[in-house]
C-alpha cells in the first residue's frame, strides 16, 4: 500500500489551489483547504482497487472539476467530499455544519444518484438520464458526478472484467450522451473513448494501431495545409491558435460502422481547427474567406453553426476544402469563447455572455435554459445569485422507480405503491396488500420518490378498494379500480335480482319493469340497481314488502292494480251476476281462495265462466297483464252465509302437544271446521299448512290472532294456494 507523505500532500494542495485560482469564478482558499484536509483524513485508511490511497480518487475528481468543468468553490469542495458520507464515518449533518447547506445537498445528491445504478440493468438509457435529472435539484450534482465517472473510467483497468463492462455500458449509454447535452464535449469524448476501449477492445486496438502507424504522415499533412493559412493569418495580424483536431476513437469507429468503410477511407481523419483569440465572430467569416481563396471549398459540406448554433449552443464554422494531394480536409473556425463553450458547456458560460434564444425546459434545450438564467443575472452581481440559478426543476413531475429485478418504471409525481403495482400488472394492482420501499414496509398510500426500489406484497383475498381512488395518480390504476368496483356492483345487483326473483316465485308474484320502477321510486331508491344492491346487502325487509299478509291493501292496489282500478271504475257492474255479465257461471279461484271480505275481481275464462280472484292474487296479476279486458268488477253478495275455504300457514316450536293445542284453538273458534292439516317438522321446528272452512276475512283474521297466542307458535299467516 502506498501512503501519501506530507510533502506530496502539500504539492497536491498547491496544484489544486493554483488551478482553482486560475479557473474559478468564486474562490475561497480557506474552505477549499479545509475540505481537502477533511477528505484526506476521512479516507486515510481506505485504498482503491489499484492499491492507491483512496484520497487520490476524490482529489483527482476535484482536479477534473477544476480543469474541465470549472464553476465555483462550492463544486470543488463538494467534489473533494463527494465520497465521505457514503464511505466514511462523516455524516451529512457534519458536512452541512462545516461547509454549508449547498455543499451538503450536492454531496447528498451525488451519493443518491450513484446508488441508483447499483444492481440495475441499463435497458432504458434515456429514462435513466431523466431519472438522474428528476433526482437532482442542483446542476452541480451532475457536474461532480461527471467528474467522478470520468476518473472512475480512467482507472477502470483495476476492477473486474464484469464490473468494467457494466460501468462502461452505463458510461456510454447514459453519461456520455448526458455530457453532450450539457455541452461538455471534452468530457463526453473521453468518456466515450474509455467506454469503447472496455466494450470493444479489438476494434479499439485496431484503430489505435492504425492511427499510430499513420500519425507521422498525418502530422506532416497538417503542417503542409497549415503553412499557407498561417502565413495569411499572420499577414492580417490575427491572434489565433491552429492545429490538427484531436481524434476520438469512438467517433471514428461509429463513422466506420455507419459508412461501412475501413479506417483508411474515413475522410475527415485529418481536420484542422482555428481558434481566434479576440472573440469577434466577424473574424471567423474573414478567416473563412482567406481559406476559401487558398483551397477549393466543397459547398455541401459547409455548415455555419455560428449563425445557427446547435441545440447545446455549440458554435463554429465547419468548412471542408480540397487540400494538397486532392484530399478532403475539414477546417473548423471559431472564437475562443465558442471553443470553451463547446468543450466545457455550462461550466464555461459564466465567463462568456452570449445572446441566446428563449429558454425551453425540455431536455434538448435545457442548456439554453440554464444559460438564459445566467444571462438574466449581470456578471457583476454576486455569485450567489448565479449559483441560486443552478437550481434545476427538470422532470419534477415524474418519478423513476425500480422493480425488485431492477426494471425502471416511470410514474407521475406523488404516485403510490398501488400505482406502481398496477403499472406492473393489473392483477398485481388488484391484489396488492402492502409494499416494501427500499426494504421497508410502507402504507399503500405513501408517495414514492425517484430511485425507490419497490416490492409489492399481494394476497389472493385482496381486492381493489374504493378508498384507493383517493390517492392513486395513474390513469391505469384509476380505471382498473373503477372497473373492479363497477363489476363488483354489477355482481351485487345480480345477486340482489336473484334474491328478488326467488321471493317473487315464493309469493307467486310477477313484477314487470314498470312495477319495479314504481316500487323503487316509492322506496326512495335512486334507481332499480340501488334497490337490488340494498336487497343483496340485506338492507331491505323484502318479506314485509312482498308478504301479502302484511301488505296493506292500498299499497297493493297502488302497486299492482292501478290498471285494474281504472278499469273497474269505468266498467259496468257491481256484482258478478249483474249487468253485461249477468248469468255467467262463476266460481272461486283455487290459487287464492277468496273469502268474503277479501277485495275481489272476476276474470273471464274460456270454458269455466268467471273466476273470482282476490285482488292481490299473483296469479291474477300475471293473467291480466295482457288481458286487461277480461277483468270484470265483482262484489261479494251483501249477506253472509256460505263457508269458504281458507289456508293458514303456521310455524312454531315442535313441542309435544302443540298440534293438539292448534286444532283445539281452531275447533273452539266458532266451530270452525278443519279440512286438512299438513305438518312437516325439521330440527326442532314445525311448519304446518291447515285448510279451514270459514265465513269471511274478519273471522279468518280473528282465528289467526288466536292461533298466534298458542305457546311455541312463531307465526301464523293466511296461506293462499291451498286446495
Ligand atoms: Mn467517487
Amino acid at each position: 500500500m502506498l501512503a501519501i507523505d506530507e510533502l506530496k500532500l502539500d504539492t497536491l494542495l498547491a496544484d489544486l489551489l493554483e488551478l482553482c485560482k486560475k479557473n474559478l469564478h468564486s474562490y475561497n482558499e480557506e474552505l477549499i483547504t479545509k475540505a481537502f484536509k477533511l477528505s484526506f483524513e476521512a479516507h486515510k485508511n481506505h485504498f482503491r482497487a489499484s492499491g492507491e490511497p483512496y484520497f487520490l480518487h476524490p482529489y483527482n475528481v476535484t482536479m477534473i472539476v477544476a480543469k474541465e468543468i470549472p464553476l465555483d468553490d462550492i463544486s470543488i469542495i463538494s467534489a473533494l467530499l463527494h465520497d465521505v458520507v457514503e464511505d466514511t464515518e462523516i455524516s451529512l449533518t457534519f458536512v452541512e455544519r462545516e461547509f454549508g447547506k449547498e455543499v451538503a445537498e450536492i454531496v447528498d445528491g451525488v451519493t443518491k444518484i450513484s446508488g441508483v445504478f447499483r444492481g440495475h440493468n441499463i435497458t432504458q438509457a434515456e429514462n435513466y438520464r431523466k431519472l438522474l435529472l428528476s433526482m437532482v435539484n442542483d446542476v452541480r450534482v451532475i457536474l461532480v458526478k461527471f467528474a467522478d465517472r470520468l476518473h472512475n473510467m480512467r482507472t477502470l483497468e483495476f476492477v473486474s472484467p464484469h464490473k468494467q463492462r457494466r460501468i462502461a455500458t452505463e458510461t456510454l449509454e447514459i453519461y456520455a450522451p448526458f455530457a453532450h447535452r450539457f455541452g461538455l464535449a471534452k468530457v463526453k469524448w473521453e468518456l466515450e473513448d474509455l467506454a469503447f476501449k472496455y466494450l470493444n477492445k479489438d476494434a479499439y486496438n485496431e484503430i489505435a494501431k492504425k492511427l499510430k502507424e499513420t500519425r507521422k504522415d498525418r502530422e506532416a499533412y497538417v503542417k503542409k495545409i497549415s503553412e499557407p493559412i498561417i502565413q495569411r493569418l499572420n499577414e492580417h495580424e490575427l491572434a489565433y491558435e491552429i492545429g490538427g483536431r484531436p481524434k476520438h476513437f469512438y467517433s471514428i469507429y461509429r463513422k466506420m460502422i455507419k459508412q461501412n468503410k475501413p479506417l483508411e477511407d474515413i475522410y475527415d481523419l485529418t481536420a484542422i481547427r482555428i481558434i481566434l483569440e479576440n472573440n469577434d465572430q466577424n473574424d471567423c467569416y474573414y478567416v473563412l474567406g482567406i481559406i476559401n481563396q487558398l483551397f477549393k471549398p466543397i459547398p455541401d459540406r459547409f455548415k455555419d453553426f455560428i449563425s445557427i448554433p446547435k441545440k447545446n449552443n455549440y458554435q463554429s464554422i465547419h468548412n471542408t476544402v480540397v487540400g494538397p494531394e486532392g484530399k478532403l480536409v475539414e477546417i473548423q473556425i471559431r472564437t475562443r469563447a465558442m471553443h470553451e463553450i463547446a468543450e466545457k458547456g455550462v461550466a464555461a458560460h459564466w465567463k462568456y455572455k452570449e445572446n441566446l434564444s428563449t429558454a425551453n425546459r425540455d431536455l434538448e434545450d435545457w442548456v439554453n435554459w440554464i444559460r438564459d438564467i445566467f444571462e438574466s443575472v449581470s456578471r457583476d452581481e454576486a455569485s450567489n445569485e448565479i449559483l441560486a440559478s443552478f437550481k434545476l426543476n427538470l422532470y419534477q413531475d415524474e418519478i423513476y422507480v425500480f422493480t425488485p429485478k431492477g426494471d425502471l418504471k416511470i410514474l407521475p409525481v406523488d404516485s403510490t405503491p398501488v400505482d406502481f403495482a398496477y403499472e406492473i400488472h393489473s392483477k398485481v394492482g388488484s391484489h396488492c396488500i402492502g409494499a416494501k420501499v427500499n426494504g421497508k414496509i410502507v402504507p399503500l398510500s405513501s408517495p414514492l420518490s425517484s430511485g425507490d426500489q419497490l416490492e409489492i406484497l399481494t394476497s389472493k383475498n385482496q381486492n381493489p378498494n374504493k378508498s384507493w381512488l383517493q390517492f392513486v395518480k395513474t390513469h391505469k390504476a384509476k380505471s382498473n379500480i373503477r372497473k373492479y368496483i363497477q363489476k363488483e356492483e354489477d355482481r351485487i345487483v345480480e345477486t340482489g335480482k336473484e334474491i328478488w326473483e326467488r321471493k317473487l316465485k315464493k309469493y307467486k308474484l310477477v313484477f314487470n319493469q314498470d312495477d319495479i320502477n314504481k316500487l323503487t321510486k316509492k322506496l326512495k331508491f335512486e334507481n332499480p340497481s340501488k334497490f337490488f344492491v340494498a336487497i343483496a346487502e340485506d338492507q331491505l325487509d323484502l318479506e314485509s314488502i312482498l308478504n301479502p299478509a302484511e301488505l296493506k291493501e292500498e299499497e297493493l292496489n297502488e302497486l299492482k292494480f292501478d290498471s285494474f282500478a281504472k278499469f273497474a271504475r269505468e266498467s259496468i257492474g257491481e256484482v258478478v251476476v249483474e249487468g253485461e255479465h249477468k248469468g255467467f257461471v262463476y266460481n272461486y279461484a283455487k290459487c287464492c281462495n277468496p273469502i268474503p271480505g277479501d277485495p275481489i275481481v272476476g276474470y273471464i275464462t274460456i270454458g269455466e265462466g268467471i273466476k273470482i280472484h282476490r285482488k292481490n292474487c299473483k296469479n291474477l296479476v300475471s293473467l291480466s297483464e295482457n288481458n286487461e279486458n277480461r277483468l270484470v268488477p265483482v262484489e261479494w253478495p251483501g249477506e253472509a252465509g256460505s263457508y269458504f275455504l281458507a289456508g293458514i300457514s303456521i310455524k312454531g316450536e315442535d313441542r309435544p302437544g302443540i298440534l293438539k293445542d292448534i286444532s283445539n284453538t281452531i275447533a273452539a273458534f266458532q266451530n270452525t271446521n278443519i279440512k286438512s292439516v299438513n305438518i312437516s317438522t325439521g330440527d326442532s321446528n314445525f311448519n304446518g299448512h291447515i285448510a279451514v272452512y270459514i265465513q269471511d276475512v274478519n273471522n279468518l283474521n280473528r282465528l289467526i290472532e288466536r292461533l298466534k297466542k298458542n305457546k311455541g307458535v312463531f307465526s301464523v299467516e293466511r296461506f293462499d294456494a291451498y286446495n
Side-chain angles (χ1 to χ4, degrees), residues 505-509 548 561 587-595 598 601 603 605 608 611-624 645-647 718-723:
K505 218 176 240 170
K506 181 179 167 195
Y507 293 114
K508 298 197 165 52
L509 288 166
F561 278 80
N587 50 48
Y588 296 101
K590 286 179 176 165
C591 50
C592 55
N593 291 307
I595 57 173
D598 281 328
V601 67
Y603 183 77
T605 65
E608 285 185 80
K611 284 255 192 236
I612 311 297
H613 289 266
R614 282 161 62 188
K615 274 187 180 178
N616 59 357
C617 171
K618 304 90 194 177
N619 199 20
L620 179 70
V621 177
S622 63
L623 279 174
S624 60
L645 193 64
R718 181 168 175 190
F719 178 63
D720 294 338
Y722 203 83
N723 302 301

Coordinates of all heavy atoms in Angstrom, one line a residue, residues 505-509 548 561 587-595 598 601 603 605 608 611-624 645-647 718-723:
K505 N -91.1 -15.7 -6.8 CA -91.6 -17.1 -7.0 C -92.3 -17.6 -5.8 O -93.4 -18.2 -5.9 CB -90.4 -17.9 -7.4 CG -90.7 -18.9 -8.5 CD -89.5 -19.7 -8.9 CE -89.2 -19.5 -10.4 NZ -87.8 -20.1 -10.7
K506 N -91.6 -17.4 -4.7 CA -92.2 -17.9 -3.4 C -93.6 -17.4 -3.2 O -94.5 -18.1 -2.8 CB -91.3 -17.5 -2.3 CG -91.8 -18.0 -0.9 CD -90.8 -17.6 0.2 CE -91.5 -17.8 1.6 NZ -90.8 -17.1 2.6
Y507 N -93.8 -16.1 -3.5 CA -95.1 -15.4 -3.3 C -96.0 -15.4 -4.5 O -97.0 -14.8 -4.6 CB -94.9 -14.0 -2.7 CG -94.3 -14.0 -1.3 CD1 -93.1 -13.5 -1.1 CD2 -95.1 -14.6 -0.3 CE1 -92.5 -13.5 0.2 CE2 -94.5 -14.6 1.0 CZ -93.3 -14.1 1.2 OH -92.7 -14.1 2.5
K508 N -95.4 -16.1 -5.6 CA -96.2 -16.2 -6.8 C -96.5 -14.8 -7.4 O -97.7 -14.6 -7.8 CB -97.4 -17.1 -6.7 CG -97.1 -18.5 -6.3 CD -98.2 -19.4 -6.5 CE -97.8 -20.9 -6.5 NZ -97.1 -21.2 -5.2
L509 N -95.6 -13.9 -7.3 CA -95.8 -12.6 -7.8 C -95.1 -12.4 -9.1 O -94.1 -13.1 -9.4 CB -95.2 -11.5 -6.8 CG -95.9 -11.3 -5.5 CD1 -95.1 -10.6 -4.6 CD2 -97.3 -10.6 -5.8
P548 N -97.9 -10.9 1.4 CA -99.3 -10.4 1.4 C -99.9 -10.2 2.7 O -100.8 -9.4 2.9 CB -100.0 -11.4 0.5 CG -98.9 -12.2 -0.2 CD -97.7 -12.1 0.7
F561 N -102.4 -2.9 -9.0 CA -103.8 -2.9 -9.5 C -104.3 -1.6 -10.1 O -105.4 -1.4 -10.3 CB -104.8 -3.5 -8.5 CG -104.8 -5.0 -8.4 CD1 -103.8 -5.6 -7.7 CD2 -105.7 -5.7 -9.1 CE1 -103.8 -7.0 -7.7 CE2 -105.7 -7.1 -9.1 CZ -104.7 -7.7 -8.4
N587 N -117.0 -19.2 -10.4 CA -116.5 -20.0 -9.3 C -115.3 -19.3 -8.7 O -114.8 -18.4 -9.3 CB -116.3 -21.5 -9.7 CG -115.4 -21.6 -10.9 OD1 -114.4 -20.9 -11.0 ND2 -115.8 -22.4 -11.8
Y588 N -114.8 -19.9 -7.6 CA -113.7 -19.3 -6.9 C -112.4 -19.8 -7.3 O -112.2 -21.1 -7.3 CB -113.9 -19.4 -5.4 CG -115.2 -18.6 -5.0 CD1 -116.4 -19.3 -4.7 CD2 -115.2 -17.2 -4.9 CE1 -117.5 -18.6 -4.4 CE2 -116.3 -16.5 -4.5 CZ -117.5 -17.2 -4.3 OH -118.6 -16.5 -3.9
A589 N -111.5 -19.0 -7.6 CA -110.1 -19.4 -8.0 C -109.4 -20.1 -6.9 O -109.4 -19.7 -5.7 CB -109.3 -18.2 -8.5
K590 N -108.8 -21.3 -7.2 CA -108.1 -22.0 -6.2 C -106.7 -21.5 -5.9 O -106.1 -21.9 -4.9 CB -108.0 -23.5 -6.6 CG -109.4 -24.2 -6.5 CD -109.4 -25.6 -6.9 CE -110.8 -26.2 -6.7 NZ -111.0 -27.5 -7.4
C591 N -106.2 -20.6 -6.7 CA -104.9 -20.1 -6.5 C -104.9 -19.1 -5.3 O -103.9 -19.0 -4.6 CB -104.3 -19.4 -7.7 SG -105.5 -18.2 -8.4
C592 N -106.0 -18.5 -5.0 CA -106.0 -17.5 -3.9 C -107.2 -17.7 -2.9 O -107.2 -17.0 -1.9 CB -106.0 -16.1 -4.5 SG -107.4 -15.8 -5.6
N593 N -108.1 -18.6 -3.3 CA -109.2 -18.9 -2.3 C -109.8 -17.7 -1.7 O -109.6 -17.5 -0.5 CB -108.7 -19.9 -1.3 CG -108.4 -21.3 -1.8 OD1 -109.3 -21.8 -2.5 ND2 -107.2 -21.7 -1.6
P594 N -110.4 -16.8 -2.4 CA -111.0 -15.6 -1.8 C -112.1 -16.0 -0.8 O -112.8 -17.0 -1.0 CB -111.5 -14.9 -3.0 CG -111.7 -15.8 -4.1 CD -110.7 -16.9 -3.8
I595 N -112.2 -15.3 0.2 CA -113.3 -15.4 1.1 C -114.0 -14.1 1.3 O -113.3 -13.1 1.1 CB -112.8 -16.0 2.5 CG1 -111.8 -15.1 3.1 CG2 -112.3 -17.5 2.3 CD1 -111.4 -15.6 4.5
D598 N -112.5 -10.3 1.4 CA -111.4 -10.1 0.5 C -111.8 -9.2 -0.6 O -112.8 -9.4 -1.2 CB -110.9 -11.4 -0.1 CG -110.0 -12.2 0.9 OD1 -109.4 -11.6 1.8 OD2 -110.0 -13.4 0.8
V601 N -112.0 -9.7 -7.7 CA -112.2 -9.3 -9.1 C -112.5 -10.5 -9.9 O -112.0 -11.6 -9.5 CB -111.0 -8.5 -9.6 CG1 -109.8 -9.4 -9.7 CG2 -111.3 -7.8 -10.9
Y603 N -112.4 -12.8 -13.5 CA -111.6 -12.9 -14.7 C -112.3 -13.9 -15.6 O -112.6 -15.0 -15.2 CB -110.2 -13.5 -14.3 CG -109.3 -13.6 -15.4 CD1 -108.6 -12.5 -16.0 CD2 -109.0 -14.9 -16.0 CE1 -107.8 -12.6 -17.0 CE2 -108.2 -15.0 -17.1 CZ -107.5 -13.9 -17.6 OH -106.7 -14.0 -18.7
T605 N -112.9 -16.6 -18.1 CA -112.0 -17.6 -18.6 C -112.7 -18.2 -19.8 O -113.9 -17.9 -20.1 CB -111.9 -18.8 -17.6 OG1 -113.2 -19.3 -17.3 CG2 -111.3 -18.3 -16.3
E608 N -114.8 -21.9 -18.4 CA -115.1 -22.0 -17.0 C -115.8 -20.8 -16.4 O -115.8 -20.6 -15.2 CB -113.7 -22.3 -16.2 CG -113.2 -23.7 -16.4 CD -112.0 -23.9 -15.5 OE1 -112.2 -24.1 -14.3 OE2 -110.8 -23.8 -15.9
K611 N -113.9 -16.5 -13.1 CA -113.2 -16.9 -11.9 C -113.1 -15.8 -11.0 O -112.7 -14.7 -11.4 CB -111.8 -17.4 -12.3 CG -111.7 -18.8 -12.9 CD -111.3 -19.8 -11.9 CE -111.0 -21.1 -12.6 NZ -111.7 -22.3 -12.0
I612 N -113.4 -16.0 -9.7 CA -113.3 -14.9 -8.8 C -111.9 -15.1 -8.1 O -111.6 -16.1 -7.5 CB -114.4 -15.0 -7.7 CG1 -115.8 -15.2 -8.3 CG2 -114.3 -13.8 -6.8 CD1 -116.2 -14.0 -9.2
H613 N -111.1 -14.0 -8.2 CA -109.8 -14.0 -7.6 C -109.7 -12.9 -6.5 O -110.5 -11.9 -6.6 CB -108.7 -13.6 -8.6 CG -108.4 -14.7 -9.6 ND1 -107.4 -15.7 -9.4 CD2 -109.0 -15.0 -10.8 CE1 -107.4 -16.5 -10.5 NE2 -108.3 -16.1 -11.3
R614 N -108.8 -13.1 -5.6 CA -108.5 -11.9 -4.7 C -107.8 -10.9 -5.5 O -107.0 -11.3 -6.4 CB -107.7 -12.4 -3.5 CG -108.5 -13.1 -2.5 CD -107.7 -13.9 -1.6 NE -106.8 -13.1 -0.8 CZ -105.8 -13.6 0.0 NH1 -105.7 -14.9 0.1 NH2 -105.1 -12.8 0.6
K615 N -108.0 -9.7 -5.2 CA -107.4 -8.6 -6.0 C -105.9 -8.7 -6.0 O -105.2 -8.3 -6.9 CB -107.8 -7.2 -5.5 CG -109.1 -6.8 -6.1 CD -109.4 -5.3 -5.7 CE -110.7 -4.8 -6.3 NZ -111.0 -3.5 -5.9
N616 N -105.3 -9.2 -4.8 CA -103.9 -9.3 -4.8 C -103.3 -10.7 -5.1 O -102.2 -11.0 -4.8 CB -103.4 -8.9 -3.4 CG -104.0 -9.7 -2.3 OD1 -104.8 -10.6 -2.6 ND2 -103.6 -9.5 -1.0
C617 N -104.1 -11.4 -5.8 CA -103.6 -12.7 -6.3 C -102.6 -12.6 -7.3 O -102.8 -11.9 -8.3 CB -104.8 -13.6 -6.8 SG -104.3 -15.1 -7.6
K618 N -101.4 -13.2 -7.1 CA -100.3 -13.0 -8.0 C -100.6 -13.7 -9.4 O -100.1 -13.2 -10.4 CB -99.0 -13.6 -7.5 CG -98.6 -13.1 -6.1 CD -99.2 -14.0 -5.0 CE -99.1 -13.3 -3.7 NZ -99.8 -14.1 -2.7
N619 N -101.3 -14.7 -9.3 CA -101.7 -15.4 -10.5 C -102.5 -14.5 -11.4 O -102.3 -14.4 -12.6 CB -102.5 -16.7 -10.1 CG -102.6 -17.7 -11.2 OD1 -101.7 -17.6 -12.1 ND2 -103.6 -18.5 -11.1
L620 N -103.4 -13.8 -10.7 CA -104.3 -12.9 -11.5 C -103.5 -11.8 -12.1 O -103.7 -11.4 -13.2 CB -105.4 -12.3 -10.6 CG -106.3 -11.3 -11.2 CD1 -107.2 -12.1 -12.2 CD2 -107.1 -10.6 -10.2
V621 N -102.5 -11.3 -11.3 CA -101.7 -10.2 -11.8 C -101.1 -10.6 -13.1 O -101.1 -9.9 -14.1 CB -100.6 -9.8 -10.8 CG1 -99.8 -8.7 -11.4 CG2 -101.3 -9.3 -9.5
S622 N -100.5 -11.8 -13.2 CA -99.9 -12.2 -14.4 C -100.9 -12.5 -15.5 O -100.7 -12.2 -16.7 CB -98.9 -13.4 -14.1 OG -99.7 -14.5 -13.7
L623 N -102.0 -13.1 -15.1 CA -103.0 -13.4 -16.1 C -103.5 -12.2 -16.8 O -103.7 -12.2 -18.0 CB -104.2 -14.1 -15.4 CG -104.1 -15.6 -15.1 CD1 -105.3 -16.1 -14.3 CD2 -104.0 -16.4 -16.4
S624 N -103.7 -11.2 -16.0 CA -104.4 -10.0 -16.5 C -103.4 -9.0 -17.2 O -103.8 -8.0 -17.8 CB -105.1 -9.2 -15.4 OG -104.2 -8.8 -14.4
L645 N -113.3 -21.8 1.8 CA -112.0 -22.5 2.2 C -110.9 -21.5 2.2 O -110.7 -20.7 1.3 CB -111.7 -23.6 1.1 CG -110.6 -24.5 1.5 CD1 -111.0 -25.4 2.7 CD2 -110.3 -25.4 0.2
A646 N -110.2 -21.5 3.4 CA -109.0 -20.6 3.5 C -107.8 -21.4 4.1 O -108.0 -22.4 4.8 CB -109.3 -19.5 4.5
G647 N -106.7 -21.0 3.7 CA -105.4 -21.7 4.1 C -104.7 -20.9 5.2 O -104.8 -19.7 5.2
R718 N -102.1 -16.1 6.7 CA -103.0 -16.7 5.7 C -102.2 -17.2 4.6 O -101.2 -16.7 4.2 CB -103.9 -15.6 5.2 CG -104.9 -16.1 4.2 CD -106.0 -15.1 3.9 NE -106.9 -15.6 2.9 CZ -107.8 -14.8 2.3 NH1 -107.9 -13.5 2.6 NH2 -108.6 -15.3 1.4
F719 N -102.6 -18.3 4.1 CA -101.9 -19.0 3.0 C -102.8 -19.2 1.8 O -103.9 -19.7 2.0 CB -101.5 -20.4 3.6 CG -100.7 -21.2 2.6 CD1 -99.5 -20.9 2.1 CD2 -101.3 -22.5 2.2 CE1 -98.9 -21.7 1.2 CE2 -100.6 -23.3 1.3 CZ -99.4 -22.9 0.8
D720 N -102.4 -18.7 0.7 CA -103.3 -18.5 -0.4 C -103.7 -19.9 -1.1 O -104.8 -20.3 -1.1 CB -102.7 -17.6 -1.5 CG -102.6 -16.2 -0.9 OD1 -103.3 -15.9 0.1 OD2 -101.8 -15.4 -1.4
A721 N -102.6 -20.5 -1.7 CA -102.9 -21.6 -2.6 C -103.0 -22.9 -1.8 O -102.0 -23.5 -1.6 CB -101.9 -21.7 -3.7
Y722 N -104.2 -23.2 -1.3 CA -104.3 -24.4 -0.6 C -105.6 -25.1 -1.1 O -106.7 -24.6 -0.9 CB -104.4 -24.2 0.9 CG -104.0 -25.4 1.7 CD1 -102.6 -25.7 1.8 CD2 -104.9 -26.3 2.1 CE1 -102.3 -26.9 2.5 CE2 -104.6 -27.4 2.7 CZ -103.2 -27.7 2.9 OH -102.9 -28.9 3.5
N723 N -105.4 -26.2 -1.7 CA -106.5 -26.9 -2.2 C -106.9 -28.1 -1.4 O -106.0 -28.9 -1.0 CB -106.3 -27.4 -3.6 CG -105.9 -26.2 -4.5 OD1 -106.7 -25.2 -4.6 ND2 -104.7 -26.2 -5.0

